Structures are given as C-alpha cells and as structure tokens.
Amino acid sequence: NPGKNSYHPLKDSTWKMGENVPYMALAKTLELIEETSSRLKMIEILANYFRSVFLLSPNDLLCSVYLCLNQLAPAYIGLELGVGEGIIIKAIAQATGRTADKVKADVSAKGDVGLVAEASKSTQRTLSMFRPAILTVNSVFTKLTEVAVMTGNSSQTKKVDKIHGLLVAAKQLEARFIARSLAGKLRIGLAEQSLLQALAFAASATPPNQPSPPTQLNCFQGLSTEAIKAKVETAAVILKTAYCQCPSYDRIIPVLLREGIAALPLHCTLTPGVPLKPMLACPTRGVGEVLQKFESTKFTCEWKYDGERAQIHLLENGEVRIYSRNQENNTSKYPDIISRFQSWIAPSASVRSAIIDSEAVAWDTEKKTILPFQILSTRKRKDAVEADIKVQVCVFAFDLLFINGESLVEMPLIERRQKLWNSFHRVGGQFDFATSRDPQSIEEIEEFLDESLKGNCEGLMVKGLVKDATYEIAKRSKNWLKLKKDYLEGVGDTIDAVVIGGYLGRGKRTGLYGGFLLACYDENNEDYQSLCKIGTGFSDEDFQTHSDFLKNHIIQKPKPYYRFDQTLSPDHWFEPVQVWEIKCADLSISPVHRAAVGIIDPVKGISLRFPRFIRIRPDKNPENATSAEQIADLYKSQDQIKNRKIEEEEEG
Ligand code: ATP
C-alpha cells in the first residue's frame, strides 16, 4: 500500500470541518505509529492528527486523546477499559460469521486479538444488505464507555451485543484497534510522554481564535530535526508541568481549546481531588555521600517508613480522598483513615482544604509498633468495611502540599513542614509526623539510621530543608536521598525490574517457569532493556504463582521495543505487565544485556550479578520500573566507591 506511509488526515480523508472525526482517521494514525520505531516520527504523526482535530472537530479532541492512551477517563477515576478475551472472541465470531473456536485458535496462534479481528473482517461473509453508519471517534468512545460501566448479572451478554454492534460497523483496520482497545492494550509502543509532546506541539502550532485555518498541513513542515526537537521540548515543558500538577485531560483540553497552551499554568494547578504525581527519591550508598550532597546546606533526616504511600486530599466540601503512589483512588481501601481524618486537624487550626503526603503503615495496636509491609498488603484493596478491618494503620505524614486554597510546592520544606505541624496534631496509633532529626555529623546520621531500623523502618530519607527544598512534582530528585539498610550490603538500593520472558523449568519445576528474563525501562527511548536472568529467591509457591500469572500474558514474538541479545531468548515472551523488586550483589558491564546501553559504554549494557527475587511490586506500573539512567547511576556510584577503596588502600 504505497500511499499508507504518507497518510495525513487533512489531506487524505474526506472528513470535513465541523463533522465528527471518522474513527478511520484515528485508526490509520495508530497504524502508522505502530509501524514506526522512531519516537520523533511517532510524535510527528500524532501531532498532525491532533492538529487536524484542533482545526476541524475540536469537540473530539478529548476523546481522541483518551483513545490514543486507551483510557476513558483520568487514571484516578479507575474506569477500566479491558474486557475478558472470551467476550471479544464471541463478539468477533458473531460479527463476522465465524465460529468462536476458530477465532479462539487464531488468537492463540497470533497472540493478538486485534489482528484476528481485522483478518476475520476481511474474510467476512456479507451478513447484512445495509451498510452500517460510519464509525466516529466519538461514537466508538461512547460505546467503549458503555461497555466499561456495565455491571451485573446479564452484563456479559450485553457487552457481547455492544461489541458485536461496533465490530459489524467497523472496517478491517478499525476492527484491529477496537479489539485491542477492548483487550486493554493498543500495542503501538506509544508512551504518554510522547503523546504529551505531540499534543503540546499541535496546540502551539494551532492556537485558538485564529481568523482562518492555517494552510500548512504538517506541524513539522520545513523544520530540521534539531528545530523540531527544540520546539517539541519547549511546548512540552508547559504541558507536562500542567499535567504533573493536574493530571486530568478533562481539565487540560478545554483550556487548550479555549485559551491555548500559554494559559495552562493559570488554570491547571494543584487541586484537592485531583491526585498529583509524587516526588521520588534517589538512592545513596552511604552517609558520606549524604554529607557530600548537602555540604553547605541545611538538611533533615526522616525515618523511611515501609508501608504504602498515601496522598490524602481534603476537599472544600469536606470530602476526604486517598490516592496511591500511582494516582489510583485508594479511598475505599482506607475507611478508617477517612473517618478519623477530621480529628487529626489541630484544635487551633482552621483547615478547609489540604493535600498531605504520607505513608500508611501497618500498626500493632497492642505493642504500639510498626509492622512490616507484608502485613499491610493483606488488607482488602477495595471497598473495605471499617468494622471488618483487622490490620490497623497509622499514617505518618511527611509533607503538606496544599492548604486552604494555596499550593505550597514552591515553598522550601522547612516552611511546608512547619505548616504541617501547625495544622495537624498527633493522635496515638492513628496519625503521626514522620520522626525527624536535623543531624550534623556522620555519627549522628548513623545513630539515627540505626534507630530507624530498630523502629522497623527501611532507613532514612534525607531532604534539603531550605535550599533545593521545593516539592518537585513527578520527579525523582537528588534533593531527596534515601539511605536504606541495603546500602550496607552493596548496591545502595533494590531494583524494580519488569518480567519480559520465562524459561521453562526442568525436574521438579517441569510445567512451570524456572527462570525469568528481567528488564529495566528506558524513559528516553521508551523501550525495555534486558537486565538479567533470575532464578533465585523464589519459594515453590512463588514459582507456581508467577507461572500461573504469566502464562496469561504470553506473546508470540518479543515486542519491537524489547532490547535483548538473541542468545538470551526465553521460551516464552510476556507482555510487560508486572514489576518485581530485586536485590543483587553488584552491577557489571555486560556483553549480552542491554540495560543503560549507550550511557556507560557505547555498545555494552549493564547487568545485575547474583540477582535475587524479593517481592512483587503491585504499586508500580512497568513504566515506573527502575530506569536505564538509574541503573547507570547505581553502576557509577558503585564504581566511585570501588575507586575510593583502591585509592585508600594505595594511600594506606
Ligand atoms: P522504594 O519504595 O523501593 O524505595 P519507590 O520508587 O517506591 O522505591 P522511592 O522514591 O525510591 O520510592 O522512595 C520513596 C518512597 O518511600 C515514597 O514513595 C514513600 O512511599 C516512602 N516513604 C517512607 N517514608 C518517607 C518519608 N519520610 N519521606 C518520603 N517518602 C517516604
């Protein structure tokens, strides 16, 4: 199909100004993106699509953005799109006149329900004399939402009917993406960061209230690669900043359409009820490094609690909500926190609205001590009833980001902390402030670290107090350092890796996986890079659990965005769906693994030596796994330590 690569919605589609966007325009855009591996090219394709929507059908921009992300609403609303594969198979069979068994066999052979839906449409017998109406982005979005909200006894049949209707109306390519949307993954390798860049660029190239539509078709026309990069970055900074503070396209898109990208900082700021992406910490390998970093600036050390991050929002209407590290709504998991929250406000304070950053930790009410994370993870994840709760939690607050209509994120920690202390008060076993101390010497830090470990914490968080002390939303910042007990054992931190492949076990592990291929995530290239093989640290039960879970995520071929050496090819490849916490002895340059390739060595990657499984990280998405840059940093800091040791030995 020679014209395919040059498809442009404004030029090549019959879609007219004021009409709804034909779904085919989006499907063709997604297809082009799927076929390219260059990130800049993906951004260009998507920016051109968004620009067309800005110009012709601005009312469809919001649903276009959601469909590209395979979402129906902001992530924190928790409206899941995925339906079971069985339902999609049934609907494909009904819509195309094939048998469900045949469709099912094709899906297992191809490993992609989208391609099967597309192929089934191409061989479809004509079942109706009437041509169904053209699908639009808006109508598909509406139908998918209707499918997602259906619950109850007969919902399965109703879902099949709805999907059947969509697939009957769909053309081949449309069927591919509708089926994939329903299965929960578009499989086009487009990360949200790229979408934000494309949207930013399209918005700045198409400002609102222009007298007549610009004639230039392509956002990037006539620009050099360097110029494109620079322009994309500049526009993206504004949009990404707004998105960090207010991660809701429901709020951002209307501002883009009404007033343009420059107005975002005015309208899309911190809002109680809209969870923000939290600030994260960098690992350190020792107390010496801490003192080096904060050499001439004031810093504070806090206990690093091992529970679950809880962003607690008090809305103006008195409602209290709790969001996780990944902005999921955890409110129904913690009815106990909700019912107690008002009693934590200091009697002398007037608090109408607030956002607190804290850790919810399992609490032994008899011994009045902190319990390990594993105990907390036994709590019901949703719709808990307060009277049935067996594991009590205590909230340890460490930051205040918003109070009474005012955002505090630009203030230094010393002031935020004071406001936190003034506005709330300790309630034994329910609410406390993170234990903190502002030590001066190595000895004092070591002593406090020791105390934190005795108090059942993971170690310390070390934070700038006055200088370099703002709350950096969504950032893993060097102004927050974590000092964990693990640093004593070697690497400075555990590593969170994504499972991308499995090796079949032998002997007593026949029928299960006996080893796995792990990867880190490279945010810049948006790919998964192999990091190590792992077969240690698992109990028999772990092997069984992992095998049961992962066999539902097998794919026939590795993703185009998996980086690995052929010699490591596993027996089965998996979708990137789960993150594991791993310990290792050290990191070394590897001729076969690809982690952080190009950062430390131009062609070689880094791998973990003697990796050991610790636990699953259900609170992390694959894209939150340890990044290639973090792996390179861990490798480098280990090198500095080694070099320092050698120097000391030589001097000594
Ligand atoms: P890990 O939890 O494995 O260290 P992570 O990537 O989840 O890694 P980090 O940024 O590495 O998060 O560490 C910060 C986490 O530690 C926070 O997300 C929070 O849940 C927890 N935490 C516990 N005590 C504190 C504290 N006093 N200040 C900030 N974060 C704390």
Side-chain angles (χ1 to χ4, degrees), residues 278-282 302-310 325 358-359 398 434 458 461 463 476 480 482 484 493-494 496 581 615 617 619-620 624:
M279 180 166 175
L280 298 170
C282 287
E302 294 168 358
W303 284 14
K304 185 176 191 304
Y305 297 89
D306 193 11
E308 178 174 37
R309 196 155 188 171
R325 182 188 189 284
S358 72
E359 190 86 350
F398 51 79
E458 276 190 304
M461 296 287 292
K463 303 176 178 179
R476 192 174 286 281
W480 274 21
K482 49 182 167 177
K484 293 217 252 185
D493 200 6
T494 52
D496 297 317
E581 186 172 349
R615 58 168 160 150
R617 290 286 312 243
D619 57 330
K620 282 200 172 177
N624 300 132

Side-chain angles (χ1 to χ4, degrees), residues 523-566:
E523 292 159 324
N524 293 326
N525 295 309
E526 292 169 359
D527 54 21
Y528 292 90
Q529 306 172 335
S530 84
L531 181 62
C532 64
K533 275 170 134 181
I534 185 168
T536 320
F538 304 99
S539 63
D540 288 346
E541 199 187 334
D542 287 337
F543 277 117
Q544 188 68 52
T545 315
H546 295 327
S547 301
D548 290 347
F549 174 78
L550 290 166
K551 72 172 188 261
N552 293 320
H553 297 280
I554 295 175
I555 45 179
Q556 297 309 310
K557 316 190 278 216
K559 299 277 182 192
Y561 45 88
Y562 284 179
R563 305 278 167 258
F564 61 96
D565 188 278
Q566 292 300 339

Side-chain angles (χ1 to χ4, degrees), residues 23 27 30-35 67 69-71 81-83 85 88 92 110-118 144 163 167 172-189 557 559 575:
Y23 184 69
L30 299 179
E31 183 191 30
L32 276 187
I33 293 175
E34 186 176 354
E35 282 164 2
L67 287 183
L69 290 169
N70 216 31
Q71 273 176 229
L81 186 56
V83 298
E85 202 169 77
I88 308 174
I92 295 175
K110 285 195 178 154
D112 179 353
V113 74
L115 291 180
V116 175
E118 183 175 5
L144 292 178
I163 300 169
L167 290 175
Q172 291 171 36
L173 186 64
E174 295 176 321
R176 180 197 306 180
F177 291 106
I178 289 172
R180 285 191 188 163
S181 276
L182 288 160
K185 277 242 159 359
L186 280 181
R187 299 168 168 242
I188 55 171
K557 316 190 278 216
K559 299 277 182 192
E575 294 268 4

